[in-house]
Amino acid sequence: MKQTAIAPANIAFIKYWGTVDPSSRVPANNSISMNLSEMYTQTTVEFLPEYTSDKITFLGENEVRQKEKDRIANALHRVRKLAKSTLFAKIITRNTFPKATGISSSASGFASLATAAFGALGYPIGEKELSIFCRTLSGGSCRSIPDGFVEWEKGTGPTDSFAHQLYPSNYWNICDVVAVVSKTIKKVSSTDGHAKAYTSPFYESRMKGMDDKVMRLKDAMQKKDFNGFGSILEAEALNMHAICMTSVPPILYWEPPTVAVMRSVQKWREEKQLACYFTIDAGPTVHVICEKANAQTVAQLLRHLLDIQSVVVNNPAPGAHIVSTHLF
Ligand code: PMV
């Protein structure tokens, strides 16, 4: 009745921004991501008859918002319902990175919680069903289930929108060098951001180009055309943030060091011929994508910039899985 799971955060090369069905988090477009080796959540869940309520502990977190607690309570309720259990659980969870700063902590958090909870109740759930389940808890967490490089299909509705593997983690030696620029929790959650996306006057034009962009990115991945791939993902990040900035009311996730990293990456490309490209999720953190051969150079350059709190080099990683090291 006790299991522990690890689930990776993932970085989106093509972003999920806006839903067609907010309640079940069916996205407006397909998105593509890579799982991160060093940024993950580990969660231990134990169900026992003697527990009289769910008790969750977040290791190393000072601030746990009520909204977060409610989402977890809802997730556990839904796991129990599916597994036909009435037992309460003790849960301990930890992140290897700061949450709510643009490193998809809800993706890794909910993917690890669901994987451990179903495992602890002995409920057999396949990858597709688990991905669909996680999508309803926190959209992007459906992409933390399969291994490696992943596409989340928008599908036609709640029952067929899920993520599947495009390539295993050893397909391509590329890295996400993450520059953490702030540990302050962002003011606007991605859930609220998704709900406002359609208020941007540019939203419709973003959506028109989406299928073509997904196709072009997949083509570059298939050919391992790194510069083609990088140009698409960098332009995509700017496109998504243009929607955020022009939503009503506007959302600006960037901090001054975010812009400094963006400018530096473009300068390194021009002046040093260093093939690296940035992308940014819903937060100030910048993800610099490069080939593994350049990862240490990029990391060193980032460490020399002002106001960078930490730099972490991530390889492509497996999806959510059960491990034998419990947190209690
Ligand atoms: O899964 P959510 O609701 O946290 O939304 C994720 C939104 C972005 O990180 C900005 C883009 C993405 O596809 O991950």
Side-chain angles (χ1 to χ4, degrees):
M1 299 247 96
K2 179 172 173 176
Q3 289 280 356
T4 299
I6 279 185
N10 64 72
I11 180 61
F13 301 133
I14 301 283
K15 312 290 187 190
Y16 146 56
W17 199 247
T19 51
V20 290
D21 178 5
S23 66
S24 65
R25 294 185 162 88
V26 173
N29 59 273
N30 287 21
S31 54
I32 296 181
S33 63
M34 177 183 106
N35 290 328
L36 305 183
S37 61
E38 309 308 314
M39 304 189 128
Y40 58 84
T41 306
Q42 180 180 7
T43 304
T44 300
V45 179
E46 181 181 48
F47 289 94
L48 280 181
E50 50 261 46
Y51 294 148
T52 52
S53 64
D54 294 323
K55 191 171 181 316
I56 178 152
T57 308
F58 296 78
L59 297 180
E61 300 286 354
N62 306 324
E63 190 187 342
V64 182
R65 292 160 299 172
Q66 189 55 43
K67 254 188 179 174
E68 228 174 302
K69 290 185 188 159
D70 294 346
R71 280 175 80 181
I72 292 165
N74 168 55
L76 283 168
H77 169 72
R78 304 238 342 261
V79 168
R80 272 192 286 263
K81 202 167 157 203
L82 209 61
K84 297 192 174 31
S85 170
T86 52
L87 298 177
F88 288 108
K90 175 178 172 181
I91 298 152
I92 297 194
T93 187
R94 72 172 185 110
N95 289 334
T96 60
F97 60 94
K99 70 177 178 190
T101 57
I103 320 178
S104 82
S105 48
S106 58
S108 56
F110 282 108
S112 68
L113 175 68
T115 305
F118 282 121
L121 288 173
Y123 181 77
I125 186 162
E127 180 179 289
K128 177 175 165 185
E129 200 191 343
L130 184 57
S131 177
I132 290 176
F133 186 86
C134 286
R135 186 206 76 224
T136 64
L137 304 178
S138 162
S141 86
C142 73
R143 291 190 315 235
S144 290
I145 300 300
D147 287 345
F149 298 88
V150 172
E151 178 169 15
W152 172 10
E153 305 273 352
K154 65 183 174 194
T156 58
T159 56
D160 67 352
S161 176
F162 64 98
H164 60 85
Q165 184 186 86
L166 284 174
Y167 298 105
S169 50
N170 63 0
Y171 170 71
W172 200 7
N173 276 339
I174 62 171
C175 291
D176 175 5
V177 186
V178 175
V180 178
V181 303
S182 161
K183 291 188 177 146
T184 311
I185 290 180
K186 63 194 176 200
K187 288 195 187 75
V188 183
S189 70
S190 42
T191 304
D192 293 344
H194 291 296
K196 293 191 177 75
Y198 75 96
T199 64
S200 162
F202 307 124
Y203 183 67
E204 217 173 294
S205 102
R206 168 173 168 77
M207 283 307 144
K208 267 192 200 140
M210 226 50 207
D211 289 348
D212 178 61
K213 199 188 294 190
V214 167
M215 225 169 59
R216 286 187 293 117
L217 188 95
K218 277 164 57 171
D219 185 53
M221 288 174 87
Q222 198 257 326
K223 293 180 178 138
K224 295 189 181 168
D225 164 14
F226 185 73
N227 285 311
F229 172 72
S231 317
I232 299 167
L233 72 88
E234 190 171 289
E236 160 61 0
L238 291 169
N239 185 306
M240 185 204 95
H241 283 270
I243 300 297
C244 299
M245 290 176 205
T246 51
S247 291
V248 184
I251 310 167
L252 180 60
Y253 283 118
W254 304 346
E255 297 292 341
T258 312
V259 180
V261 174
M262 293 158 77
R263 283 224 178 278
S264 299
V265 164
Q266 292 181 332
K267 198 173 90 185
W268 298 335
R269 273 207 310 270
E270 280 155 28
E271 292 177 5
K272 296 180 190 289
Q273 279 73 52
L274 185 59
C276 56
Y277 296 85
F278 64 76
T279 182
I280 305 162
D281 275 350
T285 299
V286 190
H287 300 250
V288 184
I289 312 298
C290 63
E291 288 167 302
K292 194 178 173 73
N294 290 327
Q296 286 313 325
T297 308
V298 168
Q300 271 312 101
L301 287 166
L302 285 169
R303 287 190 185 106
H304 283 110
L305 296 179
L306 281 182
D307 298 327
I308 303 296
Q309 306 225 348
S310 60
V311 175
V312 181
V313 178
N314 291 275
N315 295 305
H321 56 281
I322 296 288
V323 295
S324 52
T325 328
H326 298 309
L327 289 174
F328 64 91

